[in-house]
Amino acid sequence: MKILNIMDLDFNYKAALRGYESAVLIRAWNGIGSLVLTISTEITNASLIEEDDLIWFDNEYHKAFIVEKVETVLAGGEKQYKITAPGINVLIRDFITIPPAGSASDTRTGTREAVVRAWVTANCISPTDTTRAQYPIILGTYAGLGDSITEQTRLANLADENIRVLGAQDLGWRLDLDIPNSRFTFKVLDGVDRTAGQSLNGRVLFGLKYGNLTGYRKVQDKTAEKNVAYTGGQGEGAARTIVKVDGSGGGRKKETFIDAQNVSLTAELSERGAQALTELAAINSFEFEVLDRQFRYGQEYDLGDYVTVIIDKDTSQDLQIQKITETYEKDRIQVIPEFGKPERTLGGIIGSITKRVANMEAR
């Protein structure tokens, strides 16, 4: 069983413990993961776990969580703690994007990585209001990931803006624990290409014939798809700038309108439209439970990597690992990656777009 480490938010180490009943850990590539931990109140040091503590297993500093909910539950005559902890990426969600003094928005030009790094610096690391720099965060090594864009933000949630800008090119981001220096490191990430068609990295092929996956679920869903975006920028009535982005590929067109009144640049309006269509694209994905026989999780493949999935002689697809669920129960460890775009519900998509439009209209 992996060792669970506990540390407070000021980087004071509290304890290491074993003997938890179960832990369900979800890692998200471009977003915020979660951990649900069940542990008996009788386990030594279990009572030390408090809200806002940092917790992680073994030396997995890239998979840390922050406790936000502690429940004491009586189950089967035994008292247990049920700990709910989002991934430490959630610390970035504590910030909004405040424009520089005298500016309507914070506008940045550069690679997608450079843009989000600039926003993290301006709001988390070196904000004009120094009281906002509540966590010791530094930037990781710059890799120049993503194409060059111009992006604007104003009073939006910083984590959501990272997800929006990086998701258009399937890039990821995370905070890592830097224990020796008592700080967090912000990183933008690109998945490793391990597909069958490349030769630079070790190839990873999952398939029934290889005996390294069990049953699968294939999802093809156009229920909530939109493939043509009309993005509205500044101006009123007939004078308003409208930019069309057509991603239909000549087939059935399903239109949507994106309100971006705070955006003044035509190129950025096109980018906002493209981002919206990425969120609203038709779903075409596979989900599997992988068996740890041929390729070892965390060594031959990991979250964000691109792999080849072969179902039969007529069904082969290169997909990105966008979510991984790890379950620890006493002597049992289960790993379930999800390949391709995660399945989305119509309500979730509409809620996301509606929230963004409402935020824009309120500024």
Side-chain angles (χ1 to χ4, degrees):
M1 178 170 282
K2 292 187 175 184
I3 297 173
L4 180 70
N5 299 279
I6 312 166
M7 181 173 68
D8 68 26
L9 198 48
D10 293 320
F11 283 77
N12 298 306
Y13 192 82
K14 297 174 71 171
L17 56 86
R18 296 176 181 267
Y20 44 87
E21 297 297 317
S22 67
V24 179
L25 183 161
I26 296 176
R27 300 175 65 199
W29 174 241
N30 181 29
I32 298 168
S34 64
L35 170 66
V36 177
L37 176 72
T38 303
I39 184 170
S40 170
T41 59
E42 300 299 318
I43 296 296
T44 302
N45 294 328
S47 62
L48 296 179
I49 302 177
E50 299 176 305
E51 294 174 24
D52 290 336
D53 278 350
L54 302 170
I55 55 178
W56 71 97
F57 294 98
D58 291 345
N59 296 320
E60 298 172 343
Y61 304 123
H62 62 297
K63 293 192 288 184
F65 303 84
I66 182 166
V67 177
E68 292 199 340
K69 183 178 180 181
V70 180
E71 300 174 82
T72 303
V73 180
L74 181 63
E78 179 187 25
K79 278 205 305 183
Q80 297 177 332
Y81 294 124
K82 183 178 180 181
I83 311 296
T84 303
I88 59 171
N89 282 7
V90 79
L91 296 180
I92 299 297
R93 183 152 281 169
D94 291 348
F95 298 87
I96 63 171
T97 56
I98 296 181
S103 299
S105 62
D106 188 343
T107 303
R108 306 284 177 166
T109 298
T111 64
R112 292 178 187 273
E113 178 184 7
V115 167
V116 298
R117 282 166 62 96
W119 289 343
V120 169
T121 299
N123 294 283
C124 306
I125 300 174
S126 303
T128 302
D129 177 359
T130 57
T131 63
R132 299 183 67 214
Q134 60 177 322
Y135 309 122
I137 297 174
I138 66 165
L139 298 178
T141 302
Y142 177 66
L145 299 176
D147 54 12
S148 183
I149 57 173
T150 296
E151 270 288 356
Q152 297 177 350
T153 186
R154 172 179 169 80
L155 305 179
N157 184 273
L158 179 56
D160 291 344
E161 294 292 78
N162 288 348
I163 292 169
R164 174 177 66 83
V165 171
L166 298 175
Q169 286 195 309
D170 295 325
L171 300 173
W173 61 280
R174 73 175 188 231
L175 286 179
D176 286 359
L177 285 179
D178 181 355
I179 299 295
N181 296 297
S182 300
R183 64 192 183 188
F184 305 98
T185 303
F186 176 83
K187 299 179 178 179
V188 175
L189 308 167
D190 194 9
V192 178
D193 186 356
R194 303 188 184 281
T195 59
Q198 57 80 42
S199 58
L200 294 177
N201 307 300
R203 299 190 306 164
V204 175
L205 286 75
F206 289 108
L208 297 173
K209 71 176 183 179
Y210 303 118
N212 56 16
L213 61 83
T214 58
Y216 68 89
R217 182 170 74 123
K218 181 179 180 180
V219 180
Q220 293 177 290
D221 183 2
K222 300 182 72 171
T223 304
E225 179 193 30
K226 299 294 182 182
N227 54 30
V228 178
Y230 292 86
T231 307
Q234 296 182 347
E236 298 293 336
R240 188 173 188 185
T241 301
I242 304 290
V243 172
K244 177 182 177 182
V245 178
D246 189 339
S248 64
R252 175 185 172 192
K253 298 182 187 297
K254 303 173 76 174
E255 299 177 338
T256 188
F257 176 73
I258 307 300
D259 194 332
Q261 289 187 356
N262 64 318
V263 176
S264 59
L265 302 175
T266 300
E268 189 182 347
L269 289 173
S270 296
E271 170 67 19
R272 290 292 178 94
Q275 290 171 0
L277 294 185
T278 298
E279 294 182 0
L280 296 167
I283 298 164
N284 185 9
S285 66
F286 289 102
E287 297 177 10
F288 307 94
E289 179 177 348
V290 172
L291 303 178
D292 192 15
R293 293 178 179 173
Q294 187 176 7
F295 304 111
R296 293 165 296 176
Y297 168 53
Q299 298 183 50
E300 279 84 17
Y301 72 95
D302 205 346
L303 182 69
D305 289 353
Y306 297 87
V307 301
T308 298
V309 177
I310 301 172
I311 299 301
D312 52 46
K313 62 183 180 64
D314 298 318
T315 309
S316 174
Q317 196 167 355
D318 294 338
L319 298 169
Q320 186 181 37
I321 303 174
Q322 297 209 334
K323 178 180 174 182
I324 293 180
T325 300
E326 304 175 27
T327 302
Y328 311 144
E329 293 177 332
K330 297 186 185 299
D331 296 328
R332 176 176 174 267
I333 297 178
Q334 182 185 46
V335 176
I336 302 179
E338 294 185 15
F339 302 86
K341 297 292 183 183
E343 185 170 356
R344 302 181 299 275
T345 64
L346 178 60
I349 292 173
I350 291 177
S352 173
I353 296 299
T354 301
K355 180 174 70 174
R356 183 179 302 171
V357 171
N359 288 340
M360 289 175 177
E361 291 176 340
R363 294 170 199 163

